[in-house]
Amino acid sequence: MSTSIAIVDYGMGNIHSVERALRYAAPEANVYLANTVELLNKADRVVLPGQGAMRDCMQNLEKSGLKEALLLASRTKPLLGVCVGEQMLFERSQEGDVSCLGIFPGEVKKFEGDVFAKPHFNDHQEHLKVPHMGWSQVKQEREHPVWNGIPDNSYFYFVHSYYVKPSDDSLTVGSTLYGHTFTCAVARDNIFAAQFHPEKSAEQGLRLYRNFVEWQI
């Protein structure tokens, strides 16, 4: 029997590009959009995408009626958070000063400070702007099955103005340098989440999705 993967469809996020990438990476899996509690509950694995303002994401999730089912899944099933879907796992976001799901301790902070407020160039002579948009290297801070076969310091694609700051350093499994080093991937127990977009990250992104499908917790 093939594994079933529900992409949480609460009206926000690049759900169709995530769906296409997952189907390509794991053609044997049953990948579908879940906009009801029944569809979410029956999945073996869950993907939480997110895009746009945090307040809108949290409000839409609440209105969709999927929040409690998602929280239950986060305790019992392999869960992959993507972009704002990673940020939603934490306690609070500076974006709109809004409460998030509170699954992980920590907050979501904005890129700010002199390094972004005035002309500043990184090692590649690229001007640092907010949002952080484009390809950046990801340092794997510790081993994890979702990193299997992905070389350390591989490039992934980012589009974001906010980043997570975990209260527990052990949550961090990936970091990226953009003005300063920030956490770009977190994991604990059955959850793995990343700030970057695997579906926009070519071969390594597809490998990450494949690894998630094969991950045995």
Side-chain angles (χ1 to χ4, degrees):
M1 175 181 276
S2 65
T3 188
S4 58
I5 306 170
I7 301 170
V8 186
D9 180 7
Y10 59 102
M12 302 289 291
N14 52 335
I15 55 175
H16 295 294
S17 58
V18 171
E19 180 184 24
R20 286 192 296 270
L22 272 167
R23 286 181 171 171
Y24 186 87
E28 79 287 357
N30 175 25
V31 179
Y32 62 90
L33 304 180
N35 59 3
T36 67
V37 171
E38 180 182 12
L39 286 171
L40 188 52
N41 285 344
K42 76 176 188 177
D44 300 314
R45 298 168 187 269
V46 175
V47 177
L48 175 63
Q51 196 166 286
M54 178 64 79
R55 184 173 295 279
D56 293 338
C57 286
M58 292 306 301
Q59 287 180 346
N60 276 36
L61 180 63
E62 193 77 49
K63 290 176 183 176
S64 73
L66 298 173
K67 181 179 176 181
E68 293 307 316
L70 174 61
L71 288 171
L72 176 61
S74 75
R75 295 190 289 269
T76 58
K77 300 174 181 179
L79 171 67
L80 176 66
V82 177
C83 194
V84 176
E86 180 212 32
Q87 297 177 8
M88 291 169 73
L89 300 177
F90 285 80
E91 293 170 302
R92 195 159 195 87
S93 176
Q94 286 185 350
E95 185 181 15
D97 189 26
V98 61
S99 294
C100 303
L101 292 171
I103 295 170
F104 289 155
E107 63 179 333
V108 181
K109 299 175 67 68
K110 186 175 183 179
F111 285 116
E112 56 189 359
D114 288 346
V115 69
F116 302 106
K118 60 186 179 182
H120 184 90
F121 294 86
N122 63 12
D123 292 341
H124 302 289
Q125 295 303 301
E126 297 167 328
H127 181 48
L128 297 180
K129 300 177 181 179
V130 179
H132 170 210
M133 182 181 301
W135 295 86
S136 291
Q137 286 180 290
V138 172
K139 176 176 173 53
Q140 297 172 20
E141 297 293 347
R142 60 180 170 89
E143 292 184 358
H144 191 281
V146 177
W147 289 138
N148 285 349
I150 299 173
D152 194 13
N153 295 311
S154 290
Y155 282 86
F156 288 86
Y157 192 82
F158 291 79
V159 183
H160 64 124
S161 299
Y162 293 80
Y163 63 94
V164 300
K165 187 173 178 59
S167 299
D168 180 355
D169 290 341
S170 71
L171 286 168
T172 300
V173 292
S175 63
T176 293
L177 176 63
Y178 191 72
H180 56 79
T181 299
F182 69 93
T183 294
C184 71
V186 294
R188 185 176 69 192
D189 300 330
N190 57 304
I191 301 175
F192 187 100
Q195 180 62 63
F196 52 81
H197 289 271
E199 70 281 358
K200 297 179 180 179
S201 298
E203 180 183 353
Q204 305 305 346
L206 291 174
R207 181 58 191 258
L208 188 146
Y209 276 141
R210 179 70 198 179
N211 288 343
F212 171 69
V213 175
E214 295 177 346
W215 179 24
Q216 299 299 316
I217 60 170

